[in-house]
Amino acid sequence: FRFYGAAKMIKKDSGLCEDAFFLQENAAGVSDGVGGWSDYGITSSSFSRSLMKNCSSLIMCREKEDARMRKASCDSSMQDSILCGSEDFSYSCRDEQSRAPPVIDPSVILARAYERNPFVGSATALLCVLNGRELACANIGDSKFLLIRFDEKDSPFVVLQSKLQQHVFNTPYQLAKIPSPVEIEYGLQQQLIPPDDIADVLVEYETLEFCKDPPEVAELYQTSIQEGDLLILATDGLFDNVFLDEIMGIIRKTINSRPHNKVAPKEIANAIAAFAYKRSKSHFEKSPFSEELHKNGEMYGMGGKEDDITVLAPVSYTHLRAHETVLDLVCRLLLEKKKKKKK
């Protein structure tokens, strides 16, 4: 399976957008930079963006390396067959190409992306990858994914969803890079960190362990998928403002408004994000965040929570068949087109 899909990001009205995401044929991810760093003149936007960029690059490099190894192995098999005087060397090549691609572990990718991140800051992270007909996800923090399937009447239902990871209310698990003395000195010289805040920076980000969770805390998910499954990935800007049944209602309404009830990722992502943004501006409507406030003793909390909102809506499809290279796909489509012309 591969993904085709769309994403919608809406930044909060004030400050920089600290959300980041990527979406490609075999993977998708979202990251939410922790806003608390802004109190010390540091933004987490560079940290979250670098994290997602690294994840995307590592996955693409893994695919290119595997393709190179498969080609080298195939060429070697052909050469061996020729040297041995065999007439069926092409079979060896096809057999090599039909091998299942390597399984990509999202937790390993996330850990390496974090190691390569040069920026100071912290962020939550959610990464989902396709391994053939399997979906594998790794989550750290309060972003979430929903794997949604459609029944015979095109009504959506949730197959699998991730759980929130948080130490206490509104304090999610997060990856972090602490500023070194050299970076602190640089921040002082560039007037990025107010002198009076140095002690606070060191105390809060070197002694509070929950602010720098290791990649190993990632919660892992794996399940089989079907063609046409819809995957929703989003930062807490969505899930703090919109209830699950409301999300499903938006999807159902969007599907029903399309010809032949066709799943439209762009329309779905836009509609969900717009609904979340409207709720985030409300001071009177009930929201998941306001309910959590009440559970934690805040009697007067109502309305939504203003935050960056990022929604990804990839859909699985088999246009590029399992283990099929791009070249194989082009050849197959040309043959299919030729057959249609003959008819």
Side-chain angles (χ1 to χ4, degrees):
F1 285 110
R2 303 305 252 182
F3 281 144
Y4 77 91
K8 180 64 176 180
M9 177 184 287
I10 303 177
K11 70 176 292 294
K12 55 185 176 291
D13 291 347
S14 60
L16 293 172
C17 179
E18 292 170 318
D19 279 4
F21 74 90
F22 79 96
L23 176 58
Q24 56 199 51
E25 281 194 334
N26 66 334
V30 293
S31 179
D32 181 4
V34 176
W37 286 90
S38 61
D39 295 338
Y40 312 107
I42 301 172
T43 174
S44 284
S45 59
S46 296
F47 184 89
S48 60
R49 290 172 187 170
S50 177
L51 193 63
M52 290 294 97
K53 183 178 179 180
N54 290 346
C55 284
S56 176
S57 298
L58 285 165
I59 292 171
M60 287 192 291
C61 287
R62 176 67 182 275
E63 279 202 317
K64 289 179 180 178
E65 178 62 18
D66 178 63
R68 186 186 68 80
M69 293 295 290
R70 285 155 67 89
K71 183 179 185 302
S73 180
C74 177
D75 291 344
S76 176
S77 297
M78 290 175 66
Q79 186 64 32
D80 290 345
S81 298
I82 293 171
L83 291 174
C84 294
S86 173
E87 295 180 357
D88 63 348
F89 64 86
S90 59
Y91 173 80
S92 299
C93 183
R94 286 196 300 270
D95 185 59
E96 182 62 33
Q97 288 180 336
S98 66
R99 287 190 305 111
V103 173
I104 298 175
D105 186 335
S107 64
V108 172
I109 295 294
L110 203 53
R112 291 177 180 171
Y114 167 68
E115 291 169 2
R116 297 183 181 189
N117 195 336
F119 295 99
V120 170
S122 58
T124 64
L126 169 61
L127 175 62
C128 296
V129 299
L130 284 175
N131 290 310
R133 296 178 179 275
E134 296 289 317
L135 176 71
C137 302
N139 184 49
I140 298 176
D142 56 4
S143 293
K144 287 183 64 177
F145 76 83
L146 304 171
L147 178 61
I148 297 169
R149 193 162 293 160
F150 299 87
D151 61 21
E152 295 177 353
K153 297 181 179 179
D154 293 318
S155 182
F157 63 95
V158 176
V159 177
L160 179 67
Q161 63 178 308
S162 57
K163 299 177 181 178
L164 299 181
Q165 283 187 315
Q166 55 183 7
H167 297 278
V168 294
F169 172 60
N170 212 27
T171 305
Y173 285 27
Q174 56 200 257
L175 298 172
K177 286 290 180 73
I178 312 303
S180 67
V182 173
E183 289 167 326
I184 291 176
E185 182 64 28
Y186 176 80
L188 278 173
Q189 293 174 357
Q190 301 297 318
Q191 297 183 339
L192 298 175
I193 304 177
D196 295 341
D197 288 339
I198 294 178
D200 291 335
V201 171
L202 295 177
V203 169
E204 291 200 29
Y205 291 103
E206 287 188 0
T207 63
L208 299 179
E209 291 298 324
F210 61 79
C211 284
K212 49 178 180 180
D213 296 292
E216 291 75 23
V217 303
E219 191 161 5
L220 306 179
Y221 302 84
Q222 185 165 338
T223 188
S224 298
I225 61 171
Q226 297 179 10
E227 183 166 15
D229 282 353
L230 171 66
L231 186 64
I232 298 293
L233 296 84
T235 54
D236 63 334
L238 169 63
F239 296 104
D240 279 343
N241 287 298
V242 187
F243 294 98
L244 177 59
D245 61 340
E246 292 176 319
I247 295 173
M248 301 301 283
I250 294 169
I251 294 171
R252 189 179 299 108
K253 182 179 179 181
T254 306
I255 295 293
N256 292 340
S257 66
R258 298 281 297 179
H260 309 295
N261 291 346
K262 183 180 179 181
V263 178
K266 183 177 181 179
E267 284 81 353
I268 289 173
N270 288 348
I272 292 175
F275 188 94
Y277 178 74
K278 183 179 179 182
R279 175 67 57 76
S280 74
K281 305 293 290 181
S282 169
H283 298 289
F284 307 104
E285 294 180 86
K286 187 182 295 185
S287 69
F289 186 75
S290 68
E291 286 196 347
E292 288 300 315
L293 281 175
H294 294 164
K295 291 178 183 178
N296 285 272
E298 177 58 65
M299 301 305 295
Y300 302 102
M302 281 297 290
K305 177 188 176 185
E306 292 196 48
D307 200 354
D308 299 321
I309 299 165
T310 301
V311 180
L312 276 62
V315 177
S316 61
Y317 76 107
T318 55
H319 190 58
L320 187 64
R321 293 172 182 170
H323 321 321
E324 186 176 50
T325 66
V326 175
L327 182 59
D328 294 332
L329 172 62
V330 172
C331 292
R332 177 167 61 82
L333 293 178
L334 287 173
L335 287 172
E336 289 176 358
K337 185 177 181 180
K338 189 175 181 180
K339 290 178 181 178
K340 288 180 180 178
K341 284 185 177 180
K342 286 184 177 180
K343 291 180 180 180

